[in-house]
Amino acid sequence: MSEQPIALAVIIRTGRYSGQRYRIFDGMVIGRGSQAHVYLPDSKASRRHAVIAVGEEGVHLNDLSSHNGTWVNGERVTDRELQHTDMIQIGESRLEVVADSVHAPISDAIAPPTIVLSARMERPPTLDEVESEQFLTSEGLPTSLEIESGDRNAASVALTKARHYALVVAVARALGAGLRVDQIISRSLDLLLRVIGGDAAYVVLVDPATGNLIPHSGRGQDGGDVQFEASSGVLEWVVKNRTAVVSSNATEDDRFNQQRSVVLLQMGSFMAAPMLLGDRVLGVVQLVDNTGRSGFSDEALELLRVIAPVLATALENAQLIELKEDTIEQLQLAHEKLIDTQRQLLERERMAALGRFSSGLAHEVRNLMGPFMLADLLRTKYPEDSELQEVTHLMTEAYERIAAVVEETRQLTKGELGQKLNLTEGSMDEVVHSAVRLAQCDARTRAHNVSIDIPEHADFQFDVGRIKQVLLNLIRNASDAMVEPGEITVAARYDVEQDVVLVSVRDTGCGIPEDQIAEIWEPFMTTKGQEGTGLGLDFCRAIVEAHEGQIRCESVESVGSTFVFSLPLK
């Protein structure tokens, strides 16, 4: 009997999985089948090509009646005792027997070792390669001859691969377009737990800028969110090696048993696979089983290895869609800002033109208004004529308002409107009646019934002339809003709690569409066509806000509009 002082391992030296290391244990199968413990994607290897036996007689390699035979150190063998430095040849694959780094008797190797499958592809296969028999066999599919010969194991493998294909198609459909990143991850975790099993599933994303791992979410078997308990050491190993891994007991796994997080979490069986997209790793998906059951099989890992890139593609598409949506939103905001800037520049230019015009107009108006001063002479000469007194009073008041409007226009164009208020003690009752009298000089206002509802109240300070201008504008707007004779109501009430007076002008006109209410306050915005300047409501707002008050519009189409403004009593 050969005495073996240390444990042995085999290292794959050729092919896609070159460098993968497996510790030898009793019953280790080497072959092309997905059930093999040492998986060789070699078309010249049988599905169960050879098996390693460990016993009192040492470590023996036994050929399992393979088609192309098993070779050790260049010699074809059926049963051969293995020694350190032996070279095994199976098909076109070569495996080296080495002393394992863990010094322990082989008889102590009770639990099967971790199964590792590489998830990395050097390049996508071409169409010619996909159609070849070699590509299919390299992916673990049975050959046509194996299926035609009635090999039950080959049929079982084909059925398993078909189920995997159907599951991958279902996952790809479930993670289709239209889902957000969070939705894709949430749905994928549910699908993985349902299809593969386990107690919990986790997704960790890789920060593209720093390469750091960012925990995203965890899901339990019951469908609820769970606290993230994946080992960062395991995940970093998976990202670094771009390798899908399954471990029946992480605390005994030579690669991970020194990880502090593995020890603290007492991780049992787990699987992890990188979400690969070309040469980039977008993240890692991991399933954990801490129940003490048999854990995950290499078939389950193979399925996870295939699903993980599908998940990566879905995530990439969702991220691109979200980036596109964000870009479109930013462009829309920039476009709106540009339009607003252009509008402001246009308004400033129009204001500047209006300012130049109003300055010249003021000079001409003052020259033409000289005859209005005859009203004072008539009022003094005929003090007993009450009708003449009323008419001359209206003429004088109109003269004062014309001069004030010209001055206010000049101030508005220079941004000075409201900066110089002439605050005096006044009565809202007197201002409202005076404004109504002036408005009714216009035939359009006289066509409607104007009513006043003003309670008595002590005087308070405000700019009488400018508030009268606000009322005149609102009353005239109300008149223009009604084609047929209607009702105009000017009302005021005092809000003691807020210490303000609320003044309203209501009409029974056509109303204003809801989507246009915000626009009516903009300069030069008018619904009167050539008859309006679009400055009236802008005047009103500037004057009210200069009094530290507020103005608003309430309107219903085909019912009427109500303009309300507030003025502080103190």
Side-chain angles (χ1 to χ4, degrees), residues 284-303:
V284 180
V285 57
Q286 176 172 310
L287 276 74
V288 177
D289 183 358
N290 293 323
T291 61
R293 298 189 292 268
S294 58
F296 301 108
S297 66
D298 55 340
E299 283 188 7
L301 179 64
E302 179 67 17
L303 180 57

Side-chain angles (χ1 to χ4, degrees), residues 353-370 399 401-411 413-414:
L354 182 61
R356 293 190 294 270
F357 171 75
S358 61
S359 295
L361 180 64
H363 177 72
E364 294 298 327
V365 167
R366 289 193 183 97
N367 292 336
L368 295 173
M369 289 176 60
Y399 169 81
R401 285 308 311 147
I402 291 172
V405 167
V406 172
E407 176 61 19
E408 286 169 358
T409 303
R410 186 192 66 79
Q411 292 181 7
T413 58
K414 292 186 176 182

Side-chain angles (χ1 to χ4, degrees), residues 42-80:
D42 189 328
S43 59
K44 294 184 178 181
S46 299
R47 304 191 61 77
R48 290 172 55 86
H49 197 102
V51 64
I52 296 178
V54 179
E56 295 181 357
E57 300 298 324
V59 179
H60 284 255
L61 175 66
N62 297 309
D63 182 76
L64 296 176
S65 301
S66 63
H67 294 295
N68 296 314
T70 301
W71 304 73
V72 177
N73 300 329
E75 179 184 351
R76 185 166 183 169
V77 300
T78 56
D79 181 358
R80 171 70 175 265

Side-chain angles (χ1 to χ4, degrees), residues 10-49:
V10 292
I11 299 177
I12 299 176
R13 293 304 187 190
T14 59
R16 184 191 303 175
Y17 302 137
S18 177
Q20 296 288 2
R21 181 189 185 100
Y22 302 88
R23 189 181 182 194
I24 290 177
F25 65 96
D26 186 32
M28 174 185 281
V29 175
I30 305 173
R32 184 172 49 80
S34 60
Q35 301 289 335
H37 299 104
V38 180
Y39 172 63
L40 300 176
D42 189 328
S43 59
K44 294 184 178 181
S46 299
R47 304 191 61 77
R48 290 172 55 86
H49 197 102

